Amino acid sequence: MTQHRRRLGAWLLAGVVLAVVLTLFQADRTGVSDPAAAPPATPTAAPSGTAAPAPTATPSPSATPSPTPSPGSAEPSPSGSGGSPSSCTSPGSCGFPDENSTGPRIALERHDTGNMSVKKDGTVIKGWDIRGSLDVYANDVTVIDSRITSTNWWGINLRPGFSGLKVLHTTITAVPGKGPDNGGVNYAVSNMGGSSVEVGWCDISVFGNALSMGQGDLHDNYVHDLVAFRNQGGEWQHTDAVISGGGNKGRLILRHNTLLNSTPVDRGATAAVGLFADTGVVSSVVVDGNWLAGGAYALYGGGPGATGIQVTDNVFSTQYHPGAGAYGPVAAWNAGGAGNVWKGNRMSDGRPVTPEPTG
C-alpha cells in the first residue's frame, strides 16, 4: 500500500512538472504572456517582389485639417506682378513697394549743392545727401543710393537733347512751402529729354506731379504723401503720382510701383496715374502690376484717341476712397483704341475693375 502511494505521488509530481514545462514553452513561443514584451530589434523583411507596407503616421493632436473646397469654388491665387493675394490691406504686406524696399541702401554724405547743373557725360552720383536739386545737361548720368531734398521746381530734371538718365535707390523729397511757385514744388523727376529714363526703387514724396514724363521705365517705386499747394495764380496745383501729357515718341512703362495720391479732391487731386492728351495723343503706355490709390480717379486712361495702352494686373486700393479714387477707379478709357488692353485689374478687396463705357 505504501509502495502504491509512492508510485502515485511520483506520477502526480511528473504531471505537475510536465504542465509547467508546457506552459513556459507556449508563453515563450507566442509572447502574449508578458504584456510588456518588446518587438524584435530587427524588422522582418518583406518577401522578395513585394512592397513592405508603409508605416501609418500618427496625427498630431494640434493639427487642424485643411478645409475641402466646395465644388465649383476656386482658391484665391496671386494676381499681378506684385504677387499679392486676392484681398490686400496695405502695399507692403501684399508685396508692393513701401519705405522698407525703396531709397538708399548705404550711409550718405551731406552735400549742400543748391540747384546744381550736371554737364559731364557718364557722371555717377552715389551716396550723396543732397540739399538742392539736379539739372542734367549730359548723357548717361546715374544717381544711385542717394537722397535729394529740393526747394526747386524739381528734384531731378533731364534737359532736352540729352538721354540715358538713371535714378535708382534714391529718396527724392522737398520742403513744403519753400518752392518757387508760391511755395510749391512740382516734379520729383522730370524727363524733358528725347529718350527713356529709368527710375527704380525710389522713395518719392511731397512733389505735386511726382514723376512727369512721356517715356520712361518706372518700376518698384514708392510715391506717397503728395502735398497740395496753391500756385501763383491762386489755384490749387493738380497732383498726380505719375503724369504724362501725351505726344510721346517712345514708350512709358509703369511696372510694380506703389502710387498714392492722398490729396483731397477740393485741393487739386487728379490721379495716381494721369495719362492726359494735353500736348498730343497718348500712346504706347504699359501700366502693369501697380498698387494705385487716390485722386479724383485713380487712373485716367488717355482719352478717346489713346492707342497702345496696356493696363494689366493692377490693384486699385480702397485705402482713401471706396472706389480707389474719389469718383471711381478709372476714367477716360478708350476701349476701342487700337492695341488697348484692359485685363486682370481688381480692387484691393478682390472685386474686378471694369471701366465705364465712354461716350
Side-chain angles (χ1 to χ4, degrees):
M1 186 70 178
T2 301
Q3 186 178 1
H4 178 72
R5 286 179 179 175
R6 286 178 180 171
R7 194 174 290 172
L8 180 59
W11 280 109
L12 287 175
L13 179 59
V16 170
V17 171
L18 179 61
V20 170
V21 169
L22 289 173
T23 300
L24 291 174
F25 174 79
Q26 184 70 12
D28 181 65
R29 188 174 65 86
T30 63
V32 298
S33 65
D34 183 1
T42 304
T44 303
S48 176
T50 64
T56 303
T58 303
S60 170
S62 60
T64 303
S66 301
T68 303
S70 59
S73 67
E75 197 169 342
S77 59
S79 174
S81 300
S84 56
S86 61
S87 182
C88 280
T89 56
S90 67
S93 66
C94 296
F96 292 89
D98 62 8
E99 66 276 8
N100 298 312
S101 58
T102 55
R105 302 161 295 178
I106 61 176
L108 305 181
E109 179 182 349
R110 179 162 172 165
H111 289 259
D112 292 312
T113 64
N115 302 327
M116 185 175 83
S117 295
V118 180
K119 297 185 176 181
K120 182 180 179 181
D121 289 353
T123 297
V124 176
I125 294 174
K126 182 175 182 179
W128 286 25
D129 184 356
I130 296 171
R131 308 306 166 96
S133 63
L134 301 177
D135 204 1
V136 179
Y137 295 85
N139 298 312
D140 303 320
V141 172
T142 298
V143 181
I144 186 169
D145 287 317
S146 295
R147 177 183 175 91
I148 296 172
T149 304
S150 175
T151 57
N152 199 359
W153 291 98
W154 54 76
I156 303 175
N157 181 43
L158 180 64
R159 288 290 180 171
F162 299 96
S163 63
L165 174 66
K166 293 184 178 182
V167 185
L168 309 173
H169 295 285
T170 293
T171 294
I172 310 172
T173 190
V175 182
K178 298 294 185 181
D181 191 0
N182 201 32
V185 284
N186 283 317
Y187 314 113
V189 181
S190 172
N191 182 9
M192 300 172 67
S195 75
S196 179
V197 305
E198 181 183 1
V199 183
W201 303 285
C202 289
D203 183 328
I204 299 169
S205 61
V206 178
F207 293 91
N209 290 298
L211 296 171
S212 175
M213 60 194 70
Q215 53 190 320
D217 181 7
L218 313 179
H219 62 87
D220 301 288
N221 300 293
Y222 175 46
V223 182
H224 59 102
D225 294 310
L226 306 184
V227 174
F229 67 93
R230 293 184 189 272
N231 59 25
Q232 291 178 346
E235 300 174 336
W236 288 106
Q237 166 70 40
H238 289 287
T239 59
D240 304 87
V242 174
I243 187 170
S244 178
N248 52 299
K249 303 300 181 183
R251 171 166 285 198
L252 177 61
I253 300 173
L254 284 65
R255 181 165 284 128
H256 196 232
N257 303 280
T258 296
L259 304 173
L260 310 179
N261 186 353
S262 59
T263 308
V265 173
D266 61 359
R267 294 193 176 190
T270 307
V273 175
L275 306 178
F276 303 112
D278 293 337
T279 57
V281 174
V282 179
S283 63
S284 193
V285 180
V286 173
V287 183
D288 175 64
N290 302 280
W291 177 282
L292 310 176
Y297 289 90
L299 170 69
Y300 281 83
T307 60
I309 314 299
Q310 300 175 34
V311 182
T312 55
D313 296 327
N314 297 282
V315 175
F316 289 79
S317 171
T318 61
Q319 65 193 90
Y320 303 131
H321 308 286
Y327 306 127
V330 57
W333 173 250
N334 180 17
N340 290 352
V341 176
W342 184 278
K343 182 180 179 181
N345 302 294
R346 60 181 177 81
M347 300 295 293
S348 54
D349 59 12
R351 292 173 290 149
V353 175
T354 304
E356 295 286 340
T358 55

